[in-house]
Amino acid sequence: MTRNAKINTLLLLLVAALAVLPLALGLGEGKEEPFTGADAQAESAITELKPDYQPWFSPLYEPPSGEVESALFALQAALGAGVLAYYFGVRRGRRQGAAQALAQAQAPAESTRER
């Protein structure tokens, strides 16, 4: 197994552990909504500390349900991952193209020296 394969396997196991451990350890038990986002937790903490708090503004769009909100968040994450993957792919392609062009430029120079 190559070094990169070992690192990738280790990272995959780490990600799986981060996803499974909170469920296995029961970290969300006893709560009404065990794995809510930070926004919802902050909102509940603020209303608990100061019940008469008024937000500065309201959202531009309020999704009709939690499922739609989750789907929009997943779409946003997928688009962001796609943009990053495209960027890194273009950078790698340019680097490989430059290396290939350099190798081709050096190859004729070496062949003329041999003559």
Side-chain angles (χ1 to χ4, degrees):
M1 188 181 259
T2 66
R3 182 172 185 264
N4 284 341
K6 288 179 185 177
I7 291 172
N8 288 340
T9 304
L10 181 65
L11 288 173
L12 184 62
L13 290 173
L14 183 65
V15 168
L18 285 173
V20 172
L21 279 176
L23 299 173
L25 296 176
L27 296 177
E29 292 178 6
K31 296 182 180 178
E32 186 178 321
E33 294 182 33
F35 298 107
T36 58
D39 292 343
Q41 290 176 352
E43 183 181 347
S44 65
I46 289 170
T47 55
E48 187 177 303
L49 294 173
K50 193 171 181 183
D52 58 338
Y53 174 77
Q54 293 294 321
W56 293 355
F57 57 90
S58 61
L60 297 175
Y61 172 70
E62 187 72 35
S65 68
E67 290 83 12
V68 173
E69 185 176 358
S70 294
L72 290 173
F73 182 76
L75 177 65
Q76 177 185 4
L79 288 173
V83 167
L84 282 175
Y86 176 78
Y87 171 74
F88 286 120
V90 166
R91 282 196 53 191
R92 182 174 181 172
R94 286 182 182 169
R95 189 172 52 240
Q96 286 177 345
Q100 189 177 25
L102 182 64
Q104 286 177 353
Q106 289 177 350
E110 291 176 5
S111 64
T112 56
R113 286 185 205 161
E114 294 175 2
R115 292 183 187 177

